Amino acid sequence: MRRWRRGIAAACVAGVALATPTYGFGQDATVLFDRHLSPASGASVAGAVGQLVAAVEDHVVPRRVVTARGRLGGTVNIGYRWARLELFDQPQENWLRVVNHEVSGHGGRLRELFDGPSRYVLPAPPPYGRGGGATYFAYSRPPSVEEALAVSVGGMEANRLVARALTVQALATGRWSYRDTVRYYYAERDTIRYILRTHEHEPPGHDVGDFLRLYNDVAARHDHATLTARQLRRRVLGSVLNPMLAYAVYGTYGAFVARGRTESAVPMIPVGGGIRYLPITRFQLTPFGTEWVVDNALVRDDRVAFVSVRVGQTLDARTWGLGVESPRVAAFRGWSVGGRANI
């Protein structure tokens, strides 16, 4: 009963959300503060910082270097925008992804569950440094299996929340900026890339390797089926079916690099009554096992709702879940109210 009360209290009093000024393309950055700088809070901070940095850069760094029309001028500008992307935009977004992964992902779960000390290593991203990052910590008490798994997957969870916030903004307006497409690509690809690069017998400290070791240790003790890195690599390929990834790649390279456009469209399927629809799929690791999720996004005017279907696998059973979420159910004089329910 205590766990139920704690869960309800956490849902009702999660933190304080503040709407910051608008930075470019009519998008408001919403920042959530809570006591532990949880993955949800850190994701909102990372998104707001990314929007602010992008807005400043767009006022300082031009989108083209020559004004002459024709093949030569177009080729020069395309090369310039490619260099800007590689040397300015992508390193910034990559480093923000790493900071969010380590500090609010792993660190947020450690602060929430253990209140233990942690230390972070956040080197400069490529091409200016070796990239990557690490969180060093010691448990203040022996963790449960679910707690240890929550810490292992916390970094990927934090970046998944960044991608979710960008998705809401893009679907509501029907367009997104090229910097949002870069940020979305890095955030959404965090889980995909991590799993695809995982092999058997990864060293300690590897998020997916730690997840597999702990999950399989418990499965073996109870004579249940274990997981392999190869199985995870095959399953995560389903996340590539996410249409938002394709939109992000086009917005970055097709719209911005090739054409110099600072924003691109986010197409959806019209289903009647002014409602548009888009299915978004992903595979993820959770504190209880693995899970497939299909987020059925529905948009009418500028209001977005998700009907989520989840099917997963834990040690000895299939898991399922249903969820309904709308970040903006109602609005009044600048204030908005959202809601979420999960089974």
Side-chain angles (χ1 to χ4, degrees):
M1 188 65 181
R2 182 178 300 174
R3 290 186 179 180
W4 280 96
R5 287 198 299 266
R6 289 177 61 187
I8 293 171
C12 294
V13 191
V16 179
L18 300 178
T20 62
T22 299
Y23 299 115
F25 306 103
Q27 294 177 356
D28 291 328
T30 300
V31 182
L32 172 70
F33 295 96
D34 60 28
R35 187 162 63 95
H36 301 290
L37 187 61
S38 67
S41 173
S44 71
V45 173
V49 170
Q51 285 190 4
L52 177 60
V53 171
V56 173
E57 181 183 329
D58 286 343
H59 279 86
V60 175
V61 182
R63 296 197 305 271
R64 58 178 61 89
V65 289
V66 296
T67 57
R69 297 182 179 272
R71 184 174 299 177
L72 179 60
T75 302
V76 170
N77 285 325
I78 287 174
Y80 164 75
R81 286 191 292 270
W82 183 285
R84 169 181 166 167
L85 182 69
E86 295 289 330
L87 298 177
F88 287 91
D89 303 337
Q90 287 186 340
Q92 293 170 28
E93 300 298 348
N94 191 11
W95 192 74
L96 275 175
R97 172 191 67 85
V98 173
V99 172
N100 188 49
H101 182 109
E102 303 295 343
V103 177
S104 61
H106 298 310
R109 290 299 176 223
L110 288 165
R111 289 185 292 272
E112 177 186 44
L113 297 171
F114 300 100
D115 260 346
S118 54
R119 180 172 61 88
Y120 308 100
V121 175
L122 304 167
Y128 306 106
R130 62 181 177 86
T135 301
Y136 296 94
F137 64 93
Y139 289 124
S140 58
R141 57 174 174 78
S144 68
V145 174
E146 293 82 3
E147 288 173 334
L149 290 177
V151 172
S152 294
V153 305
M156 292 175 279
E157 176 193 6
N159 280 318
R160 190 168 65 245
L161 292 172
V162 170
R164 180 56 166 262
L166 290 168
T167 299
V168 171
Q169 290 181 348
L171 295 181
T173 61
R175 309 187 68 81
W176 54 356
S177 74
Y178 83 94
R179 282 299 292 265
D180 283 349
T181 66
V182 177
R183 189 175 311 119
Y184 178 89
Y185 181 75
Y186 274 106
E188 188 67 43
R189 199 181 62 135
D190 196 30
T191 299
I192 302 171
R193 179 175 175 271
Y194 219 141
I195 292 178
L196 286 178
R197 293 189 173 190
T198 299
H199 299 279
E200 308 296 340
H201 311 299
E202 293 285 358
H206 188 282
D207 294 353
V208 183
D210 290 347
F211 175 92
L212 282 171
R213 269 189 296 274
L214 183 54
Y215 183 95
N216 289 337
D217 284 347
V218 177
R221 289 201 303 268
H222 294 84
D223 295 324
H224 296 306
T226 58
L227 284 171
T228 66
R230 183 180 180 184
Q231 287 176 315
L232 294 185
R233 291 196 302 270
R234 286 203 307 263
R235 294 176 186 179
V236 81
L237 290 176
S239 296
V240 180
L241 298 175
N242 178 357
M244 295 296 292
L245 279 173
Y247 297 163
V249 172
Y250 172 78
T252 302
Y253 295 98
F256 176 70
V257 174
R259 297 183 168 187
R261 296 178 179 176
T262 56
E263 59 177 347
S264 58
V266 181
M268 299 185 70
I269 304 168
V271 295
I275 299 174
R276 294 167 289 147
Y277 168 72
L278 192 70
I280 301 172
T281 61
R282 68 177 184 273
F283 174 77
Q284 61 192 30
L285 306 180
T286 76
F288 60 80
T290 63
E291 188 175 57
W292 287 99
V293 182
V294 179
D295 280 330
N296 298 282
L298 300 167
V299 180
R300 185 173 184 180
D301 298 328
D302 60 348
R303 298 191 179 182
V304 182
F306 295 96
V307 179
S308 301
V309 180
R310 304 168 180 267
V311 179
Q313 178 67 53
T314 189
L315 290 173
D316 60 349
R318 284 284 182 184
T319 63
W320 62 273
L322 297 172
V324 178
E325 177 182 358
S326 179
R328 187 167 175 260
V329 177
F332 179 73
R333 293 185 178 180
W335 292 85
S336 62
V337 178
R340 177 174 59 188
N342 288 288
I343 300 175

